[in-house]
Every structure is written in structure tokens, then in C-alpha cells.
């Protein structure tokens, strides 16, 4: 099965080459890379052409479409049976494509493949500062939204980042949405209504935190991120047989993203957006009135100035989050897989 790697980009001439090189130098080679340039004003086109690899198909929009429409545009040009999503500043780990491809070979009942991943700071892509862990650290797991709360939480927590998610193309029945935070999750959530996911045990992508759109682009918070998630679940899981799953999904995403109050404040420098996010959360989950985390993150976001709050968050992420020796050892071993296989 051929893999189509969907790589939307905008003004990342300084970094996109390293992302593409992390794909080209891996062991699995039956792929195409669809680069959809959203009318960049830097030299992205020149940088891509310099790579000179026939597997790269470069398209540049005549005008800026914005994130969701650009993602759709890239998908429409894909020829592969597997759609593999990749952000333009992230790094692919060795054997990521091979392991994803192999997961789909388990059978036609597999509609999506997800994975653990980690964030890194600046250019140190082998040093994790925060992680989304595997569902099972020792082996790949087949799971679905019908397997209960833990499965639901792990599936949608893993879907928060675009890079490394993969879909069986013929099962995609819902397009990538316009909403920035959930655009790539719409087809993921829809496929899960009928098919299972494989949750890989291996970390397959390293997510660059220093250039993240969610921490540097205040305009993406014009609409509530939390409301985007809730609207997606209400639209896709509206059938009577999915009523309890929808409720579980909404409650999970609200409670899991309470710390986003801090990010919203640091990026927008506005209490207005923090208040709005708190109101959305409380509207859809009344139990938050008895949740200390709701008040803690809300109070901190509303009372602390944006600049010192950002510095505090950066130090916390780099020094204290997910500092597990076993996790770091696992990630190191996965980086060394390429050397072993070669």
C-alpha cells in the first residue's frame, strides 16, 4: 500500500527542508509527499525545488486558504491508499512509516493508526520535554471508541497533534474541517464510528514546540478551541447509539484541556478569551464547579501577566514535565533503530 504524506505549509522555508529530509532518509520508501504551500511569501518554493526528489509533489496556492482548506487541498491531490499527516516543522523518527504501514496490514477492520509522540525544544529533536505516552508500552494495540473511557481518552488525546496520524483513504467520509484545532480530527473521529484503530507502542514523531501555531498565533483563538472540539463531537456522534460516547468525549476533552487557559492567556494576552473558554467549559460540564483544577488554572491565567506566565510555562515544560528515565530510554532506542536496521 502506497503512503501519501500530506504536508501543509506556510512560510517555513527555514525549517521545512529538515522535516522533509527526516522523511526521505527513513527505511520505508513507497510514498509520495504532497507539499501544499498556502501562498508563502518566503522562499519555501525554492527550498523545496532544491531537494530535487521525484516523490515530492509541490503545489502552491494562488492565495492564502488558511489551515483547514489547505489541508483539504493537499488531501485531494493524494494518490496513496494510506494518508499520513505531517506538520512542516516536526521530525519523523526512524521506521515510523514502516510501522504505520504494517499496522494497516492487520486487516480491513483497521481504519486509522495513531501513535505516542513527544515535544522537543528548538533543534534538539532527540530530547523530549513532554510526551503523549503509548496505550501499551510493550506492543501495538487494536482499540476503538466502543472499548470504554480509557480507550476514548487515549485515542483523542493522541489526535491533538497532526503529525503521525494515518487514515485508510477509502474510509474517509468526512472532510478536513475549517476549524484550526480540530480540522484533522474530523475524519479520524468519523472513521472510528465504524472501524478500529491501531495505537502504536513506538514513538514515531517529534513535535517542535518552539514554532507551534498554538503558541504563536493569537488569531487562531478567535474561536474557542474547546467549542471546536465540542461541535465536532456533537456533529459526528449525534446518533442515539453514540449518545454515551459523545458525552464521554465531551467531558474528557473539557477536563483534559483545563490547562489550556494558561496557553490562551500567554498567546492572546487577553483575559477575554480566558473567560470565554472557562464559560464554555462550565456550560458543558457542570461538575467543574467542584473541580479544583478548574479554579486553579482559571485563577492563574486571569491574574498573572502573559509574559511572566509564558516564561513560567516554558521552564515547567523543559525542566519538570514527563521526566521519566524509562520513556527517554525508549525514545533513544527508537532513534537507534535506523542504525541497527542499516
Amino acid at each position: 500500500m502506497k503512503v501519501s504524506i500530506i504536508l501543509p505549509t506556510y512560510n517555513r522555508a527555514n525549517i521545512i527542508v529538515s522535516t522533509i529530509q527526516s522523511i526521505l532518509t527513513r527505511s520505508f520508501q513507497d510514498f509520495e509527499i504532497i507539499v501544499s504551500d498556502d501562498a508563502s511569501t518566503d522562499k519555501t518554493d525554492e527550498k523545496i525545488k532544491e531537494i530535487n526528489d521525484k516523490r515530492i509533489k509541490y503545489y502552491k496556492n494562488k492565495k492564502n486558504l488558511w489551515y483547514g482548506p489547505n489541508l483539504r487541498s493537499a488531501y485531494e491531490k493524494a494518490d496513496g491508499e494510506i494518508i499520513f499527516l505531517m506538520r512542516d516543522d516536526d521530525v519523523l523518527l526512524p521506521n515510523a512509516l514502516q510501522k504505520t504501514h504494517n499496522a494497516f496490514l492487520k486487516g480491513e477492520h483497521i481504519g486509522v493508526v495513531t501513535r505516542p509522540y513527544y515535544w522537543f525544544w528548538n533543534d534538539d529533536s532527540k530530547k523530549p520535554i513532554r510526551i503523549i505516552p503509548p496505550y501499551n508500552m510493550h506492543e501495538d494495540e487494536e482499540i476503538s471508541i466502543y472499548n470504554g473511557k480509557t480507550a476514548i481518552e487515549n485515542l483523542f488525546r493522541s489526535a491533538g497533534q497532526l503529525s503521525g496520524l494515518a487514515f485508510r483513504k477509502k474510509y474517509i467520509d468526512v472532510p478536513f474541517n475549517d476549524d484550526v484545532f480540530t480540522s484533522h480530527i474530523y475524519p479520524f473521529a468519523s472513521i472510528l464510528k465504524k472501524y478500529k484503530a491501531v495505537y502504536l507502542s513506538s514513538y514515531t514523531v517529534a513535535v517542535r514546540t518552539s514554532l507551534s501555531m498554538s503558541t504563536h498565533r493569537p488569531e487562531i483563538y478567535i474561536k474557542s478551541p474547546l467549542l471546536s472540539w465540542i461541535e465536532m463531537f456533537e456533529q459526528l456522534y449525534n446518533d442515539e447509539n453514540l449518545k454515551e460516547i459523545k458525552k464521554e468525549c465531551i467531558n474528557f476533552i473539557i477536563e483534559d484541556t483545563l490547562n489550556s487557559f494558561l496557553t490562551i492567556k500567554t498567546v492572546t494576552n487577553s483575559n477575554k478569551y480566558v473567560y470565554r473558554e472557562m464559560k464554555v467549559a462550565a456550560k458543558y460540564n457542570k461538575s467543574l464547579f467542584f473541580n479544583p483544577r478548574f479554579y486553579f488554572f482559571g485563577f492563574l491565567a486571569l491574574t498573572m501577566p502573559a509574559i511572566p506566565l509564558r516564561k513560567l510555562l516554558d521552564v515547567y515544560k523543559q525542566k519538570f514535565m514527563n521526566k521519566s528515565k524509562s520513556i527517554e530510554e525508549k525514545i533513544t532506542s527508537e532513534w537507534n533503530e535506523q542504525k541497527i536496521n542499516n
Side-chain angles (χ1 to χ4, degrees), residues 231-263:
E231 287 178 349
M232 178 188 70
F233 290 131
E234 290 190 328
Q235 176 183 329
L236 297 180
Y237 293 170
N238 200 37
D239 295 343
E240 186 62 29
N241 66 312
L242 296 171
K243 184 177 179 180
E244 290 303 313
I245 289 176
K246 178 177 71 174
K247 181 180 178 181
E248 198 71 65
C249 288
I250 291 174
N251 286 337
F252 157 70
I253 202 62
I254 290 172
E255 294 178 8
D256 198 57
T257 59
L258 292 177
N259 59 358
S260 69
F261 298 161
L262 307 182
T263 302

Side-chain angles (χ1 to χ4, degrees), residues 42-251:
D42 59 4
K43 296 181 179 180
T44 295
D45 51 352
E46 295 179 17
K47 293 292 185 180
I48 299 296
K49 291 173 184 176
E50 286 174 3
I51 300 174
N52 192 28
D53 191 299
K54 63 181 181 180
R55 291 168 297 180
I56 301 173
K57 299 178 180 179
Y58 174 78
Y59 303 91
K60 186 171 184 177
N61 301 329
K62 293 181 179 180
K63 63 178 182 178
N64 188 267
L65 301 179
W66 196 227
Y67 179 73
N70 190 37
L71 195 55
R72 285 198 299 275
S73 178
Y75 165 71
E76 289 165 1
K77 298 174 177 67
D79 293 328
E81 295 95 329
I82 298 171
I83 302 298
F84 186 97
L85 304 182
M86 193 72 188
R87 212 174 70 172
D88 58 3
D89 58 345
D90 293 341
V91 176
L92 198 68
L93 268 67
N95 297 322
L97 292 175
Q98 185 69 64
K99 291 176 180 179
T100 302
H101 177 269
N102 290 350
F104 282 105
L105 295 179
K106 290 177 179 289
E108 293 286 314
H109 64 292
I110 302 300
V112 300
V113 174
T114 187
R115 72 290 169 250
Y117 60 89
Y118 66 90
W119 288 266
F120 68 96
W121 193 256
N122 295 325
D123 295 320
D124 196 354
S125 62
K126 296 183 180 181
K127 185 178 180 181
I129 62 169
R130 187 159 63 105
I131 60 106
I132 294 295
Y135 187 80
N136 182 332
M137 193 168 180
H138 304 291
E139 62 181 4
D140 299 347
E141 285 274 0
E142 293 185 18
I143 59 175
S144 82
I145 57 173
Y146 303 102
N147 291 148
K149 180 179 179 180
T150 300
I152 288 172
E153 291 179 355
N154 277 270
L155 283 167
F156 286 105
R157 187 179 289 119
S158 76
Q161 290 288 334
L162 174 140
S163 292
L165 286 180
F167 313 139
R168 198 183 293 271
K169 187 180 181 183
K170 66 182 180 180
Y171 293 165
I172 296 178
D173 58 359
V174 171
F176 295 97
N177 193 263
D178 285 351
D179 284 352
V180 171
F181 286 92
T182 54
S183 176
H184 63 282
I185 309 174
Y186 269 78
F188 178 86
S190 184
I191 290 172
L192 285 173
K193 292 191 293 183
K194 298 178 182 178
Y195 302 97
K196 285 189 173 184
V198 170
Y199 201 128
L200 299 176
S201 60
S202 298
Y203 290 83
T204 61
V205 287
V207 175
R208 189 185 303 269
T209 252
S210 55
L211 298 176
S212 172
M213 188 162 61
S214 64
T215 57
H216 291 81
R217 302 280 295 274
E219 66 270 25
I220 70 174
Y221 292 99
I222 292 175
K223 179 176 179 178
S224 161
L226 185 54
L227 187 59
S228 292
W229 278 90
I230 292 169
E231 287 178 349
M232 178 188 70
F233 290 131
E234 290 190 328
Q235 176 183 329
L236 297 180
Y237 293 170
N238 200 37
D239 295 343
E240 186 62 29
N241 66 312
L242 296 171
K243 184 177 179 180
E244 290 303 313
I245 289 176
K246 178 177 71 174
K247 181 180 178 181
E248 198 71 65
C249 288
I250 291 174
N251 286 337

Side-chain angles (χ1 to χ4, degrees), residues 20-26 29 31 33 51 53 55-56:
I20 292 176
Q21 291 295 353
S22 79
I23 300 170
L24 296 176
T25 57
R26 299 317 183 210
Q29 293 292 302
F31 63 82
I33 303 175
I51 300 174
D53 191 299
R55 291 168 297 180
I56 301 173

